[in-house]
Amino acid sequence: MKELECEILSSFINYPEKMNDFFNVCPRKCFSDDAKEALNIIETLQEANALSHSSFANALSVKDSQDENFLNILSALPNPNVENLAAPFVQSYLLESQRQAALTLLRASDNNTLLTLEEVMPSIEQTNYRTLSQWKEFYANAPKMPSFKTGIDFLDSVFNGGLDVAQLVLISGDPEAGKTTLGLQILEYIAKNNKICFFSFEFPIHQYLQRKAQDKTIKADNMIILDNGYEIYQIAQNIKNLYKQGVRVFLIDSQMRIVSPNGRNMEEEESLKFSCLAKLCHSLNILVFLIVQTSKGDRDNPMGSKKGGHEASIIIRIEHDKPENANLREFSEDSRIVILKKNKQTGKHYKERVAFDSTKGKFYSLTSQSEREHLTEIDLPEIF
Protein backbone atom coordinates (compact mmCIF):
# COMPACT_ATOMS: atom_id res chain seq x y z
CA MET A 1 0.00 0.00 0.00
CA LYS A 2 1.53 3.32 -1.07
CA GLU A 3 1.99 6.37 1.13
CA LEU A 4 -0.68 8.39 -0.72
CA GLU A 5 -3.18 5.55 -0.35
CA CYS A 6 -2.55 5.40 3.41
CA GLU A 7 -2.95 9.19 3.71
CA ILE A 8 -6.29 9.03 1.89
CA LEU A 9 -7.65 6.22 4.07
CA SER A 10 -6.47 7.93 7.26
CA SER A 11 -8.24 11.08 6.05
CA PHE A 12 -11.47 9.13 5.47
CA ILE A 13 -11.39 8.01 9.12
CA ASN A 14 -11.06 11.62 10.30
CA TYR A 15 -13.19 13.30 7.64
CA PRO A 16 -15.76 10.73 6.41
CA GLU A 17 -17.98 13.52 5.07
CA LYS A 18 -15.36 14.11 2.36
CA MET A 19 -15.62 10.61 0.86
CA ASN A 20 -18.47 11.39 -1.52
CA ASP A 21 -16.57 14.29 -3.08
CA PHE A 22 -13.49 12.10 -3.37
CA PHE A 23 -15.33 9.25 -5.11
CA ASN A 24 -16.98 11.69 -7.51
CA VAL A 25 -13.52 11.98 -9.07
CA CYS A 26 -11.79 8.72 -8.20
CA PRO A 27 -13.36 5.24 -8.80
CA ARG A 28 -12.86 2.60 -6.13
CA LYS A 29 -11.04 0.39 -8.64
CA CYS A 30 -7.98 2.65 -8.19
CA PHE A 31 -7.44 1.25 -4.69
CA SER A 32 -5.33 -1.82 -3.96
CA ASP A 33 -6.96 -4.95 -2.51
CA ASP A 34 -5.69 -4.20 1.00
CA ALA A 35 -6.95 -0.63 0.73
CA LYS A 36 -10.37 -1.84 -0.42
CA GLU A 37 -10.52 -4.07 2.65
CA ALA A 38 -9.71 -1.10 4.87
CA LEU A 39 -12.26 1.02 3.00
CA ASN A 40 -14.98 -1.55 3.67
CA ILE A 41 -14.21 -1.40 7.41
CA ILE A 42 -14.31 2.42 7.34
CA GLU A 43 -17.68 2.51 5.56
CA THR A 44 -19.17 -0.14 7.85
CA LEU A 45 -18.14 1.85 10.93
CA GLN A 46 -19.42 5.07 9.39
CA GLU A 47 -22.84 3.55 8.75
CA ALA A 48 -22.93 2.52 12.40
CA ASN A 49 -21.95 6.06 13.40
CA ALA A 50 -18.95 4.61 15.24
CA LEU A 51 -16.02 5.62 13.05
CA SER A 52 -12.78 6.61 14.80
CA HIS A 53 -9.12 5.60 14.82
CA SER A 54 -9.68 3.38 17.84
CA SER A 55 -12.80 1.67 16.39
CA PHE A 56 -10.96 1.09 13.10
CA ALA A 57 -8.03 -0.48 14.96
CA ASN A 58 -10.40 -2.66 17.02
CA ALA A 59 -12.19 -3.82 13.87
CA LEU A 60 -9.00 -5.27 12.42
CA SER A 61 -8.33 -8.94 12.86
CA VAL A 62 -5.31 -10.00 14.91
CA LYS A 63 -3.46 -10.75 11.68
CA ASP A 64 -4.43 -7.48 10.03
CA SER A 65 -3.51 -5.42 13.08
CA GLN A 66 0.10 -6.56 12.68
CA ASP A 67 0.13 -5.90 8.95
CA GLU A 68 2.41 -3.05 7.92
CA ASN A 69 -0.18 -1.60 5.53
CA PHE A 70 -2.80 -1.17 8.23
CA LEU A 71 -0.24 0.21 10.67
CA ASN A 72 0.72 2.76 8.03
CA ILE A 73 -2.91 3.84 7.73
CA LEU A 74 -3.14 4.42 11.48
CA SER A 75 0.10 6.39 11.55
CA ALA A 76 -0.52 8.49 8.41
CA LEU A 77 -1.40 12.16 8.86
CA PRO A 78 -5.00 12.87 7.80
CA ASN A 79 -5.62 15.55 5.17
CA PRO A 80 -8.71 17.71 5.81
CA ASN A 81 -8.85 18.46 2.08
CA VAL A 82 -8.64 14.82 1.05
CA GLU A 83 -10.96 15.39 -1.92
CA ASN A 84 -8.09 17.33 -3.55
CA LEU A 85 -6.00 14.14 -3.51
CA ALA A 86 -8.41 12.30 -5.82
CA ALA A 87 -6.96 13.58 -9.11
CA PRO A 88 -3.28 12.85 -8.27
CA PHE A 89 -4.31 9.44 -6.92
CA VAL A 90 -6.05 8.60 -10.20
CA GLN A 91 -2.96 9.74 -12.09
CA SER A 92 -0.69 7.49 -10.01
CA TYR A 93 -3.06 4.56 -10.67
CA LEU A 94 -3.02 5.17 -14.41
CA LEU A 95 0.76 5.50 -14.49
CA GLU A 96 1.14 2.16 -12.70
CA SER A 97 -1.45 0.61 -15.04
CA GLN A 98 0.48 1.95 -18.00
CA ARG A 99 3.66 0.38 -16.67
CA GLN A 100 1.95 -2.99 -16.25
CA ALA A 101 0.38 -2.68 -19.70
CA ALA A 102 3.80 -2.10 -21.22
CA LEU A 103 5.09 -5.31 -19.63
CA THR A 104 2.02 -7.22 -20.84
CA LEU A 105 2.49 -5.97 -24.41
CA LEU A 106 6.18 -6.86 -24.29
CA ARG A 107 5.42 -10.42 -23.15
CA ALA A 108 2.75 -10.74 -25.84
CA SER A 109 5.24 -9.64 -28.48
CA ASP A 110 7.75 -12.21 -27.24
CA ASN A 111 5.02 -14.86 -27.62
CA ASN A 112 4.10 -13.60 -31.11
CA THR A 113 0.66 -12.49 -29.86
CA LEU A 114 -1.11 -9.33 -30.98
CA LEU A 115 -2.91 -7.23 -28.37
CA THR A 116 -4.55 -3.82 -28.56
CA LEU A 117 -3.90 -1.10 -26.01
CA GLU A 118 -7.59 -1.17 -25.05
CA GLU A 119 -7.19 -4.80 -24.00
CA VAL A 120 -4.49 -4.07 -21.46
CA MET A 121 -5.14 -0.48 -20.28
CA PRO A 122 -7.97 0.08 -17.79
CA SER A 123 -10.38 2.94 -18.38
CA ILE A 124 -11.22 5.46 -15.68
CA GLU A 125 -14.70 6.85 -15.93
CA GLN A 126 -15.59 9.86 -13.85
CA THR A 127 -18.57 8.83 -11.77
CA ASN A 128 -20.09 12.28 -11.62
CA TYR A 129 -20.01 15.43 -13.74
CA ARG A 130 -20.99 18.83 -12.38
CA THR A 131 -22.73 21.46 -14.47
CA LEU A 132 -21.84 25.14 -14.11
CA SER A 133 -24.92 25.60 -11.94
CA GLN A 134 -23.85 22.74 -9.68
CA TRP A 135 -20.34 24.17 -9.36
CA LYS A 136 -21.83 27.55 -8.45
CA GLU A 137 -23.94 25.90 -5.76
CA PHE A 138 -20.94 23.92 -4.52
CA TYR A 139 -18.79 27.02 -4.04
CA ALA A 140 -21.68 29.07 -2.70
CA ASN A 141 -22.04 26.57 0.16
CA ALA A 142 -18.32 25.94 0.63
CA PRO A 143 -16.48 27.73 3.45
CA LYS A 144 -14.86 30.97 2.29
CA MET A 145 -11.14 30.57 1.72
CA PRO A 146 -9.00 32.97 3.77
CA SER A 147 -7.00 35.81 2.26
CA PHE A 148 -3.94 37.36 3.92
CA LYS A 149 -2.96 41.01 3.69
CA THR A 150 0.78 41.51 3.30
CA GLY A 151 0.81 44.86 5.10
CA ILE A 152 2.74 46.32 2.14
CA ASP A 153 0.44 48.68 0.26
CA PHE A 154 2.03 48.33 -3.17
CA LEU A 155 1.48 44.55 -2.98
CA ASP A 156 -1.96 44.55 -1.37
CA SER A 157 -3.29 46.97 -3.99
CA VAL A 158 -2.27 44.75 -6.89
CA PHE A 159 -3.69 41.64 -5.17
CA ASN A 160 -7.00 43.42 -4.43
CA GLY A 161 -6.44 43.51 -0.70
CA GLY A 162 -4.40 40.39 0.04
CA LEU A 163 -3.08 37.03 -1.09
CA ASP A 164 -5.44 34.09 -1.43
CA VAL A 165 -4.47 30.64 -0.16
CA ALA A 166 -3.73 27.61 -2.38
CA GLN A 167 -0.88 29.51 -4.03
CA LEU A 168 2.88 29.03 -4.36
CA VAL A 169 4.55 32.46 -4.38
CA LEU A 170 8.12 32.72 -5.66
CA ILE A 171 10.35 35.62 -4.58
CA SER A 172 13.37 36.04 -6.85
CA GLY A 173 15.84 38.82 -7.46
CA ASP A 174 19.37 40.17 -7.52
CA PRO A 175 21.85 39.04 -4.85
CA GLU A 176 21.43 41.08 -1.65
CA ALA A 177 18.40 42.86 -3.09
CA GLY A 178 16.21 41.98 -0.10
CA LYS A 179 14.39 38.77 -1.05
CA THR A 180 14.45 37.38 2.50
CA THR A 181 13.66 40.82 3.91
CA LEU A 182 10.51 41.12 1.80
CA GLY A 183 9.41 37.60 2.70
CA LEU A 184 9.92 38.23 6.40
CA GLN A 185 8.16 41.59 6.28
CA ILE A 186 5.08 39.87 4.85
CA LEU A 187 5.35 37.00 7.33
CA GLU A 188 5.73 39.26 10.35
CA TYR A 189 2.64 41.23 9.37
CA ILE A 190 0.54 38.10 8.89
CA ALA A 191 1.81 36.80 12.26
CA LYS A 192 0.00 39.64 14.04
CA ASN A 193 -3.22 37.63 13.74
CA ASN A 194 -2.21 34.20 12.44
CA LYS A 195 0.29 31.43 13.07
CA ILE A 196 3.08 31.32 10.48
CA CYS A 197 6.23 29.26 9.86
CA PHE A 198 9.65 30.38 8.65
CA PHE A 199 12.06 27.75 7.31
CA SER A 200 15.33 29.56 8.03
CA PHE A 201 17.80 27.53 5.98
CA GLU A 202 20.05 30.34 4.71
CA PHE A 203 20.84 32.27 7.89
CA PRO A 204 21.33 31.28 11.55
CA ILE A 205 18.29 32.05 13.68
CA HIS A 206 20.37 34.16 16.07
CA GLN A 207 21.05 36.64 13.24
CA TYR A 208 17.34 37.15 12.78
CA LEU A 209 16.86 37.61 16.53
CA GLN A 210 19.63 40.21 16.65
CA ARG A 211 18.13 42.20 13.79
CA LYS A 212 14.64 42.12 15.29
CA ALA A 213 15.59 42.50 18.97
CA GLN A 214 14.15 46.01 19.24
CA ASP A 215 11.06 45.41 17.12
CA LYS A 216 8.15 45.21 19.58
CA THR A 217 5.53 44.91 16.83
CA ILE A 218 6.35 41.27 16.05
CA LYS A 219 4.04 38.74 17.69
CA ALA A 220 6.71 36.18 18.56
CA ASP A 221 4.29 33.55 19.88
CA ASN A 222 2.75 33.20 16.42
CA MET A 223 6.10 32.66 14.65
CA ILE A 224 7.43 29.12 14.32
CA ILE A 225 11.02 28.95 13.02
CA LEU A 226 12.71 25.79 11.74
CA ASP A 227 16.39 25.54 10.82
CA ASN A 228 16.71 21.84 9.96
CA GLY A 229 15.06 19.20 7.78
CA TYR A 230 16.30 20.27 4.36
CA GLU A 231 14.95 17.32 2.32
CA ILE A 232 11.84 18.20 0.31
CA TYR A 233 9.82 15.35 1.80
CA GLN A 234 10.84 16.39 5.33
CA ILE A 235 9.70 19.91 4.54
CA ALA A 236 6.40 18.57 3.21
CA GLN A 237 5.90 16.48 6.35
CA ASN A 238 6.66 19.47 8.59
CA ILE A 239 4.15 21.57 6.65
CA LYS A 240 1.48 18.89 7.12
CA ASN A 241 2.25 18.65 10.84
CA LEU A 242 2.08 22.43 11.29
CA TYR A 243 -1.12 22.62 9.24
CA LYS A 244 -2.76 20.47 11.92
CA GLN A 245 -1.65 23.11 14.44
CA GLY A 246 -3.35 25.90 12.52
CA VAL A 247 -0.46 27.23 10.41
CA ARG A 248 -1.56 28.38 6.96
CA VAL A 249 1.33 30.58 5.77
CA PHE A 250 4.93 29.43 5.23
CA LEU A 251 8.19 31.05 4.06
CA ILE A 252 11.05 28.83 2.85
CA ASP A 253 14.49 30.39 2.47
CA SER A 254 15.58 29.14 0.01
CA GLN A 255 15.32 26.92 -3.09
CA MET A 256 19.05 26.16 -3.17
CA ARG A 257 19.03 24.74 0.38
CA ILE A 258 16.26 22.25 -0.34
CA VAL A 259 17.51 18.73 -1.07
CA SER A 260 15.70 16.56 -3.63
CA PRO A 261 16.06 12.81 -4.24
CA ASN A 262 18.50 11.97 -7.01
CA GLY A 263 16.77 12.18 -10.38
CA ARG A 264 17.82 11.56 -13.93
CA ASN A 265 19.12 15.12 -14.20
CA MET A 266 19.27 18.45 -12.39
CA GLU A 267 16.08 19.71 -14.08
CA GLU A 268 14.11 16.77 -12.68
CA GLU A 269 15.54 17.20 -9.17
CA GLU A 270 14.84 20.94 -9.07
CA SER A 271 11.37 20.60 -10.57
CA LEU A 272 10.37 18.10 -7.88
CA LYS A 273 10.75 20.83 -5.25
CA PHE A 274 8.23 23.09 -6.96
CA SER A 275 5.71 20.41 -7.93
CA CYS A 276 5.71 19.02 -4.37
CA LEU A 277 5.15 22.45 -2.78
CA ALA A 278 2.51 23.46 -5.36
CA LYS A 279 0.54 20.27 -4.68
CA LEU A 280 0.68 20.95 -0.95
CA CYS A 281 -0.65 24.47 -1.52
CA HIS A 282 -3.59 23.15 -3.53
CA SER A 283 -4.43 20.15 -1.36
CA LEU A 284 -4.19 21.96 2.00
CA ASN A 285 -5.29 25.44 0.86
CA ILE A 286 -2.17 27.07 2.26
CA LEU A 287 0.09 29.91 1.16
CA VAL A 288 3.79 29.13 0.62
CA PHE A 289 6.45 31.75 -0.13
CA LEU A 290 9.63 30.27 -1.61
CA ILE A 291 12.75 32.35 -2.15
CA VAL A 292 14.42 31.25 -5.37
CA GLN A 293 17.63 31.92 -7.26
CA THR A 294 17.75 32.72 -10.97
CA SER A 295 20.57 32.68 -13.50
CA LYS A 296 21.89 35.67 -15.45
CA GLY A 297 20.69 34.06 -18.67
CA ASP A 298 17.14 33.39 -17.40
CA ARG A 299 15.77 35.78 -14.81
CA ASP A 300 12.18 34.61 -15.33
CA ASN A 301 12.52 31.03 -14.09
CA PRO A 302 14.05 29.53 -10.93
CA MET A 303 17.54 28.19 -11.45
CA GLY A 304 17.52 24.71 -12.94
CA SER A 305 13.75 24.41 -13.46
CA LYS A 306 11.51 26.02 -16.06
CA LYS A 307 8.68 23.99 -14.52
CA GLY A 308 9.22 25.91 -11.29
CA GLY A 309 7.96 29.08 -12.95
CA HIS A 310 4.97 27.17 -14.32
CA GLU A 311 4.03 25.68 -10.93
CA ALA A 312 4.01 29.08 -9.22
CA SER A 313 0.85 31.17 -9.04
CA ILE A 314 2.75 34.39 -8.33
CA ILE A 315 6.32 35.49 -9.03
CA ILE A 316 7.73 38.62 -7.39
CA ARG A 317 11.17 39.86 -8.42
CA ILE A 318 13.36 42.41 -6.62
CA GLU A 319 16.15 44.22 -8.47
CA HIS A 320 18.71 46.83 -7.48
CA ASP A 321 17.96 50.43 -8.40
CA LYS A 322 20.37 52.91 -10.00
CA PRO A 323 22.25 55.09 -7.49
CA GLU A 324 22.06 58.87 -7.52
CA ASN A 325 25.83 58.98 -8.01
CA ALA A 326 27.14 56.03 -10.02
CA ASN A 327 30.72 57.06 -9.24
CA LEU A 328 30.22 56.43 -5.53
CA ARG A 329 27.94 53.38 -5.45
CA GLU A 330 27.08 50.48 -7.72
CA PHE A 331 23.40 50.65 -6.78
CA SER A 332 21.07 52.59 -4.51
CA GLU A 333 20.96 51.63 -0.85
CA ASP A 334 17.58 53.27 -0.27
CA SER A 335 15.43 52.00 -3.14
CA ARG A 336 14.66 48.86 -5.09
CA ILE A 337 12.70 47.91 -8.21
CA VAL A 338 9.88 45.44 -7.50
CA ILE A 339 8.43 43.58 -10.49
CA LEU A 340 5.33 41.41 -10.40
CA LYS A 341 6.15 38.99 -13.21
CA LYS A 342 3.29 36.52 -12.80
CA ASN A 343 -0.05 36.92 -11.08
CA LYS A 344 -2.69 34.22 -11.49
CA GLN A 345 -4.77 35.72 -8.69
CA THR A 346 -5.78 39.01 -10.30
CA GLY A 347 -3.86 39.10 -13.59
CA LYS A 348 -2.36 42.49 -12.72
CA HIS A 349 1.32 43.12 -13.39
CA TYR A 350 3.53 46.06 -12.51
CA LYS A 351 7.04 47.37 -12.14
CA GLU A 352 7.60 49.92 -9.39
CA ARG A 353 10.39 51.74 -7.64
CA VAL A 354 9.96 51.36 -3.87
CA ALA A 355 11.79 52.61 -0.79
CA PHE A 356 14.02 50.15 1.07
CA ASP A 357 15.22 50.53 4.65
CA SER A 358 17.91 47.90 5.22
CA THR A 359 18.29 48.87 8.90
CA LYS A 360 14.64 48.20 9.76
CA GLY A 361 14.27 45.50 7.13
CA LYS A 362 11.26 47.19 5.50
CA PHE A 363 9.97 48.02 2.04
CA TYR A 364 7.78 51.09 1.57
CA SER A 365 5.80 52.53 -1.32
CA LEU A 366 6.85 55.70 -3.14
CA THR A 367 3.58 55.80 -5.11
CA SER A 368 0.18 56.64 -3.68
CA GLN A 369 -2.62 54.12 -4.11
CA SER A 370 -4.57 56.41 -6.48
CA GLU A 371 -1.50 56.82 -8.70
CA ARG A 372 -0.84 53.08 -8.68
CA GLU A 373 -4.37 52.26 -9.82
CA HIS A 374 -3.70 54.21 -13.01
CA LEU A 375 -0.27 52.66 -13.55
CA THR A 376 -0.01 50.45 -16.63
CA GLU A 377 2.83 48.63 -18.29
CA ILE A 378 2.81 51.30 -21.01
CA ASP A 379 3.58 53.93 -18.37
CA LEU A 380 6.62 52.14 -17.00
CA PRO A 381 9.35 53.70 -19.19
CA GLU A 382 8.26 57.17 -18.03
CA ILE A 383 8.74 56.15 -14.39
CA PHE A 384 12.10 54.51 -14.81
Side-chain angles (χ1 to χ4, degrees):
M1 200 180 297
K2 295 182 178 179
E3 181 181 349
L4 180 58
E5 202 168 41
C6 293
E7 180 182 352
I8 290 169
L9 291 169
S10 176
S11 303
F12 286 166
I13 296 173
N14 284 267
Y15 308 101
E17 71 278 4
K18 299 294 185 76
M19 283 198 286
N20 284 337
D21 288 336
F22 183 94
F23 287 119
N24 281 338
V25 177
C26 175
R28 295 169 184 265
K29 65 187 296 182
C30 294
F31 286 89
S32 65
D33 289 341
D34 282 342
K36 289 175 183 175
E37 183 180 343
L39 185 59
N40 288 334
I41 296 173
I42 291 171
E43 291 178 320
T44 299
L45 291 171
Q46 183 191 15
E47 290 175 4
N49 199 27
L51 180 59
S52 66
H53 263 82
S54 58
S55 64
F56 177 79
N58 291 334
L60 298 175
S61 66
V62 175
K63 179 183 176 181
D64 288 340
S65 64
Q66 302 303 316
D67 186 276
E68 183 180 359
N69 286 329
F70 291 98
L71 292 176
N72 288 338
I73 295 172
L74 292 168
S75 61
L77 282 174
N79 188 325
N81 298 302
V82 63
E83 67 275 17
N84 294 337
L85 300 179
F89 186 58
V90 168
Q91 184 181 17
S92 67
Y93 170 79
L94 289 174
L95 286 172
E96 179 60 30
S97 299
Q98 179 177 272
R99 188 176 296 108
Q100 295 301 322
L103 294 173
T104 300
L105 289 170
L106 184 60
R107 287 192 295 267
S109 297
D110 291 340
N111 293 326
N112 202 30
T113 302
L114 287 176
L115 294 176
T116 64
L117 188 60
E118 288 75 15
E119 290 179 273
V120 293
M121 269 295 289
S123 63
I124 298 293
E125 297 181 359
Q126 189 167 344
T127 57
N128 186 35
Y129 298 91
R130 285 189 176 130
T131 65
L132 178 59
S133 297
Q134 289 171 325
W135 276 116
K136 285 182 177 179
E137 183 181 358
F138 173 80
Y139 281 108
N141 296 323
K144 186 178 179 181
M145 291 293 102
S147 179
F148 295 96
K149 291 189 67 173
T150 68
I152 305 174
D153 55 0
F154 62 82
L155 288 180
D156 286 333
S157 63
V158 81
F159 293 125
N160 292 346
L163 286 163
D164 296 338
V165 293
Q167 296 191 107
L168 175 62
V169 181
L170 304 186
I171 303 177
S172 70
D174 294 335
E176 305 299 320
K179 299 184 290 294
T180 304
T181 300
L182 179 67
L184 283 170
Q185 184 177 350
I186 295 171
L187 218 64
E188 289 161 3
Y189 182 84
I190 295 174
K192 290 182 178 181
N193 299 298
N194 306 273
K195 289 184 177 181
I196 56 86
C197 176
F198 173 35
F199 290 86
S200 180
F201 294 156
E202 289 286 348
F203 304 100
I205 294 176
H206 71 83
Q207 288 187 6
Y208 173 74
L209 296 176
Q210 289 172 353
R211 288 180 56 191
K212 301 293 181 176
Q214 304 304 318
D215 192 340
K216 306 301 182 183
T217 64
I218 298 175
K219 194 166 182 179
D221 289 343
N222 278 350
M223 290 191 68
I224 297 170
I225 304 178
L226 301 178
D227 63 351
N228 54 33
Y230 295 84
E231 289 78 12
I232 183 60
Y233 292 124
Q234 284 184 289
I235 294 171
Q237 191 63 52
N238 282 327
I239 288 175
K240 290 179 182 179
N241 291 341
L242 290 168
Y243 178 88
K244 292 183 65 179
Q245 298 178 29
V247 182
R248 298 293 181 269
V249 183
F250 302 82
L251 170 64
I252 304 173
D253 186 15
S254 69
Q255 168 201 356
M256 300 307 287
R257 289 289 187 180
I258 301 176
V259 178
S260 280
N262 292 331
R264 289 171 292 184
N265 50 53
M266 175 180 161
E267 171 79 19
E268 186 176 87
E269 292 177 14
E270 289 300 310
S271 295
L272 177 63
K273 303 175 184 179
F274 298 96
S275 60
C276 180
L277 292 173
K279 287 176 182 176
L280 277 175
C281 290
H282 296 157
S283 65
L284 295 178
N285 285 322
I286 59 175
L287 186 60
V288 174
F289 296 90
L290 173 63
I291 295 172
V292 301
Q293 284 70 36
T294 57
S295 64
K296 291 182 179 179
D298 185 2
R299 299 190 305 168
D300 294 332
N301 292 294
M303 190 174 292
S305 174
K306 290 187 180 297
K307 187 178 180 182
H310 172 76
E311 292 281 10
S313 298
I314 293 167
I315 301 178
I316 303 170
R317 181 172 176 82
I318 309 170
E319 296 183 353
H320 288 296
D321 194 12
K322 294 179 180 179
E324 292 184 5
N325 190 335
N327 294 323
L328 296 179
R329 292 188 177 89
E330 184 179 357
F331 50 79
S332 171
E333 294 183 353
D334 303 322
S335 62
R336 296 287 189 269
I337 307 300
V338 175
I339 308 169
L340 187 58
K341 303 186 73 67
K342 183 178 182 181
N343 180 5
K344 284 187 175 181
Q345 179 172 314
T346 64
K348 297 179 182 179
H349 299 83
Y350 74 82
K351 179 178 182 181
E352 183 173 345
R353 176 182 286 114
V354 301
F356 177 66
D357 188 331
S358 59
T359 303
K360 294 182 179 179
K362 301 287 184 182
F363 285 84
Y364 303 94
S365 177
L366 293 174
T367 308
S368 68
Q369 184 171 352
S370 60
E371 290 173 324
R372 189 178 305 105
E373 288 174 351
H374 293 89
L375 183 65
T376 67
E377 294 185 19
I378 299 175
D379 297 322
L380 297 180
E382 300 176 7
I383 298 175
F384 304 108

